[in-house]
Amino acid sequence: MAYYRKQLPEILTTPMEDGFHMPGEFEPHRGCVMVWPVRPGSWPHGAKDAQRTFIEIARAIARSETVWMLAAPEQIHTVQEALAAPEQMHAVQETFAGGEDEGGRQEFEKADIGQKPKKAHSGRNAKDGASGSTCVSSCGIACAPNIYLLPVETDDAWARDIGPTCVVRKNGEVRGIDWNFNAWGGKVDGLYAHWDKDNQAAGAICRALGMECYDARHFVLEGGAIHSDGEGTVLVTEACLLSPGRNPHMTKARIEDTLKSYLGAQKVIWLPRGIWNDETNEHVDNVSAFVRPGEVVLAWTDDKNDPQWSLSNASLRVLEQERDARGRNFIIHKLPIPAKPVCITEEDLAGFVFEDGEDTREAGERLAASYVNFYISNGAVIVPQFGDENDAQAVRILAGLFPEREIIPIYTRPVIVGGGNIHCITQQIPGGE
């Protein structure tokens, strides 16, 4: 195809040249990509808790759009059985067993999360994922209502970062972008030593879903490092994009020009920092996200003794001073972080198996827990919960910001233990032809 740099560099074009742009996550989707978690250095105790939580998240998303779950070919039968198991087997009360998880679950169940809004009328058919989608039944192995398996092997389960970033054109065409993935820093500060399978995933997904794909492997980037308003504005963090393990040969200006060319953007807003102790070098999707053009949420704490306070305040000052690509001032909604830090426990630590060259964990390590790490599906917002006193407040704030969507809170400590959350393990495929 003419869109692959490696194959035909002499006729390469960029998405901007071809009239494509990155839509907002709140715009209609064809579906969502996830990856089955198995890596023992990320998911302790055989990944059982993580797998049950992934299933719960996949089912919540599948209520309004198609989900494609990647799994290694030899795992397909096991994953198919797990996803097709009776719904009650994967209810939240069955997800956690003893220790801190049990206490967190009890707090989650007691939380007053308020009344759920009505389901969104998105124009999408929950049976086939997206109106106009022509290959749902052939794109993967059917295993549960609106959930399909793709036999693609990866190194880990971070679909946001290893999957394609999709761009759209006015005629409804959707294409993917295949960035260079180096495990969040390569040999400088990457989190594991081998990532070849992860780096092949975006192209494999595009082929499976019938999308043409731009080869952008000259540029290291992850999907969690960018957030688009769909109208020409992109949010990033300096801490991530200027980190020495990504594109040290490029100036800030050149990085910005590359983002504009591939995302069809007119303006890049550089937030200085993300969430404290975020091992991705502080991805933007953990600290700030568009809820609609001109309007963002920002992870927040009023506790000046919390290390997050100065980081969030620095981003607040930028957002208050900046305007978006269309000249609008930002409406900023503060979304609290958990009141109590979420940390690795001794029990968690005993369940990990780290390989040589892999970043290890330690008991008491604070994780980058944030309610901003939600996923916007066609009909809902799936939001992390931690068994924390701020869980209910986060749900109420998001219910007010997304009145047209159902708010689905899911207890996700088994996901944050791996280093990310709901947004990190999902990657939307926009609606199109």
Side-chain angles (χ1 to χ4, degrees):
M1 303 302 294
Y3 309 103
Y4 285 89
R5 179 180 296 270
K6 271 200 313 186
Q7 295 175 350
L8 297 169
E10 68 279 6
I11 59 172
L12 175 74
T13 55
T14 67
M16 176 172 277
E17 291 171 324
D18 293 338
F20 286 83
H21 73 280
M22 182 181 177
E25 188 173 320
F26 41 79
E27 297 183 51
H29 298 173
R30 175 184 169 190
C32 174
V33 174
M34 297 180 67
V35 183
W36 187 249
V38 294
R39 187 183 184 91
S42 295
W43 315 105
H45 304 291
K48 298 304 181 184
D49 285 349
Q51 289 167 2
R52 285 190 285 265
T53 307
F54 272 54
I55 289 172
E56 190 176 358
I57 292 166
R59 285 177 167 163
I61 296 170
R63 287 161 66 168
S64 63
E65 64 189 50
T66 297
V67 175
W68 294 281
M69 183 75 74
L70 274 61
E74 65 270 19
Q75 297 169 345
I76 289 296
H77 181 69
T78 298
V79 178
Q80 191 172 23
E81 285 188 340
L83 285 164
E87 189 96 6
Q88 61 268 26
M89 290 180 64
H90 306 289
V92 69
Q93 60 264 32
E94 296 293 333
T95 303
F96 313 99
E100 181 177 314
D101 277 356
E102 177 66 17
R105 178 191 61 78
Q106 291 172 353
E107 288 304 312
F108 170 70
E109 289 180 336
K110 289 189 292 184
D112 176 17
I113 60 174
Q115 195 170 15
K116 293 180 180 178
K118 293 181 179 179
K119 293 181 181 179
H121 297 285
S122 64
R124 290 306 191 254
N125 185 325
K127 185 177 181 180
D128 61 7
S131 58
S133 178
T134 58
C135 70
V136 168
S137 61
S138 62
C139 293
I141 303 164
C143 62
N146 222 22
I147 302 176
Y148 297 81
L149 290 175
L150 295 179
V152 176
E153 190 171 4
T154 62
D155 295 292
D156 207 347
W158 307 107
R160 176 67 47 179
D161 294 342
I162 67 174
T165 296
C166 290
V167 289
V168 301
R169 191 157 57 178
K170 286 184 179 179
N171 67 357
E173 185 180 358
V174 180
R175 292 178 183 169
I177 302 172
D178 184 0
W179 311 106
N180 187 8
F181 177 79
N182 71 352
W184 309 277
K187 294 182 179 180
V188 176
D189 58 355
L191 299 182
Y192 41 81
H194 307 287
W195 54 83
D196 290 347
K197 294 172 186 175
D198 280 350
N199 204 18
Q200 298 299 318
I205 292 166
C206 288
R207 289 190 292 273
L209 300 185
M211 297 188 299
E212 293 180 335
C213 184
Y214 292 94
D215 189 330
R217 295 199 192 191
H218 62 290
F219 188 68
V220 177
L221 188 73
E222 307 90 40
I226 51 178
H227 222 289
S228 173
D229 72 345
E231 295 187 355
T233 307
V234 173
L235 285 175
V236 301
T237 67
E238 292 177 343
C240 177
L241 268 67
L242 302 183
S243 64
R246 285 178 171 80
N247 300 290
H249 59 291
M250 300 177 72
T251 63
K252 181 178 179 180
R254 190 175 167 200
I255 290 171
E256 182 168 316
D257 287 344
T258 301
L259 291 173
K260 289 177 179 178
S261 293
Y262 279 86
L263 303 179
Q266 289 78 53
K267 188 162 187 178
V268 177
I269 305 293
W270 293 83
L271 304 182
R273 300 293 300 274
I275 293 293
W276 188 79
N277 217 29
D278 186 339
E279 59 193 7
T280 65
N281 300 112
E282 301 174 21
H283 271 178
V284 75
D285 71 341
N286 217 20
V287 71
S288 188
F290 286 104
V291 298
R292 59 186 56 85
E295 203 162 339
V296 299
V297 289
L298 176 65
W300 189 259
T301 179
D302 289 319
D303 182 1
K304 294 185 178 181
N305 295 317
D306 191 301
Q308 185 58 40
W309 187 85
S310 62
L311 277 60
S312 291
N313 270 272
S315 293
L316 177 64
R317 289 193 293 271
V318 170
L319 289 169
E320 287 177 334
Q321 295 167 8
E322 285 278 9
R323 294 190 177 191
D324 68 12
R326 300 203 176 183
R328 292 172 292 217
N329 293 317
F330 287 104
I331 299 172
I332 306 162
H333 303 277
K334 295 176 179 177
L335 195 60
I337 62 172
K340 180 183 178 182
V342 180
C343 300
I344 292 290
T345 67
E346 291 285 359
E347 183 182 357
D348 296 327
L349 192 61
F352 289 109
V353 180
F354 302 108
E355 65 178 20
D356 290 343
E358 184 170 8
D359 187 57
T360 59
R361 302 199 178 282
E362 58 185 46
E365 173 186 340
R366 175 167 164 171
L367 299 166
S370 168
Y371 300 106
V372 174
N373 210 283
F374 54 78
Y375 178 76
I376 307 170
S377 71
N378 281 335
V381 178
I382 298 88
V383 56
Q385 303 279 269
F386 305 101
D388 187 85
E389 64 186 76
N390 283 341
D391 282 3
Q393 184 182 0
V395 169
R396 285 193 290 269
I397 290 170
L398 291 172
L401 294 176
F402 293 96
E404 78 286 1
R405 286 177 164 88
E406 181 180 5
I407 306 300
I408 304 178
I410 295 179
Y411 186 97
T412 55
R413 190 179 187 281
V415 183
I416 190 61
V417 162
N421 221 300
I422 294 173
H423 199 254
C424 303
I425 64 170
T426 54
Q427 177 60 282
Q428 71 272 7
I429 306 298
E433 293 181 311

